């Protein structure tokens, strides 16, 4: 009987220990359940943040692509303008060289013709001549310069009256084209 009493006491002690352990375990499981809801809230927040980040990255990528395309178009336009300006500078340089040569030859002709023209002019003035028989040296300087410029630029001035109104002081087409390009109107 003592043995059975001793066995009952041991079983009751074990039952008390297991009940105490079950109570502690229940509290921990309750805390874990409460932490689980908080953990689910945190996981949902992380998921929402990752979705927003992905959409933000997509928007940034689209904006970068659009900016890249716009920049590429501007680079292409700048390359085209650079080529046009290089062509106009080359053409203007050639025109300036021809103009300088024409002016130089005109000055040389004027120097050579000046002594020969001075004598007939002196003899024509006292005799009362009408001046219609006078040579090229009697032409006004602006007329001679215009003729030299026409010889230097065989294409001639542009025919648009609007261009002549906007760009004055540039008698040849090349000079007007260069001026338009510099003003950004080409």
């Amino acid at each position: 009987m003592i043995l059975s009493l001793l066995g009952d006491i041991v079983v009751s002690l074990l039952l008390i220990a297991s009940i105490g352990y079950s109570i502690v375990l229940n509290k921990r499981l309750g805390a874990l359940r409460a932490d689980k809801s908080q953990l689910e809230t945190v996981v949902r927040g992380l998921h929402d943040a990752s979705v927003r980040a992905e959409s933000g990255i997509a928007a940034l990528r689209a904006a970068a692509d659009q900016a890249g395309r716009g920049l590429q178009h501007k680079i292409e336009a700048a390359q085209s303008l650079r080529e046009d300006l290089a062509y106009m500078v080359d053409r203007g340089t050639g025109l300036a060289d021809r103009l300088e040569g024409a002016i130089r030859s005109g000055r040389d002709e004027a120097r050579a013709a000046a002594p020969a023209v001075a004598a007939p002019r002196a003899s024509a003035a006292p005799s009362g001549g009408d001046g219609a028989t006078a040579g090229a040296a009697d032409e006004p300087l602006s007329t001679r310069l215009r003729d030299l410029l026409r010889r230097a630029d065989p294409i001639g001035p542009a025919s648009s009256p609007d261009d002549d109104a906007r760009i004055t002081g540039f008698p040849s087409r090349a000079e007007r084209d260069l001026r338009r390009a510099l003003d950004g109107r080409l």
Side-chain angles (χ1 to χ4, degrees), residues 101-118:
I103 289 173
R104 188 172 291 137
S105 67
R107 285 182 184 161
D108 292 344
E109 289 174 10
R111 285 184 193 143
V117 173

Side-chain angles (χ1 to χ4, degrees), residues 61-73:
R61 186 173 290 141
D65 289 343
Q66 183 180 3
R69 282 191 300 272
L71 186 59
Q72 184 63 34
H73 288 301

Side-chain angles (χ1 to χ4, degrees), residues 33-54:
R33 284 186 197 118
D35 288 344
K36 179 182 175 187
S37 66
Q38 289 176 355
L39 184 62
E40 285 177 357
T41 305
V42 169
V43 168
R44 273 191 231 117
L46 284 173
H47 176 69
D48 292 343
S50 67
V51 167
R52 282 191 307 254
E54 287 176 4

Side-chain angles (χ1 to χ4, degrees), residues 3-4 38 44 58-59 62-63 79 95 100 110 117 126 131 159 167 170 178:
L3 197 54
S4 91
Q38 289 176 355
R44 273 191 231 117
Q79 289 283 29
L95 180 63
E100 181 182 359
V117 173
S159 60
I167 303 172
F170 295 96
L178 181 59

Side-chain angles (χ1 to χ4, degrees), residues 36-159:
K36 179 182 175 187
S37 66
Q38 289 176 355
L39 184 62
E40 285 177 357
T41 305
V42 169
V43 168
R44 273 191 231 117
L46 284 173
H47 176 69
D48 292 343
S50 67
V51 167
R52 282 191 307 254
E54 287 176 4
S55 67
I57 289 171
L60 283 174
R61 186 173 290 141
D65 289 343
Q66 183 180 3
R69 282 191 300 272
L71 186 59
Q72 184 63 34
H73 288 301
K74 288 186 180 195
I75 288 172
E76 290 170 0
Q79 289 283 29
S80 175
L81 283 175
R82 186 188 73 164
E83 291 169 2
D84 290 346
L85 285 174
Y87 169 74
M88 287 184 190
V89 166
D90 290 342
R91 188 171 172 193
T93 302
L95 180 63
D97 291 343
R98 286 188 299 183
L99 183 61
E100 181 182 359
I103 289 173
R104 188 172 291 137
S105 67
R107 285 182 184 161
D108 292 344
E109 289 174 10
R111 285 184 193 143
V117 173
R121 202 185 255 179
S123 64
S127 65
D130 60 353
T133 60
D138 288 341
E139 293 180 11
L141 182 61
S142 62
T143 306
R144 292 184 63 215
L145 183 58
R146 192 175 313 119
D147 290 341
L148 287 173
L149 287 172
R150 284 187 187 137
R151 275 189 251 145
D153 187 11
I155 296 173
S159 60

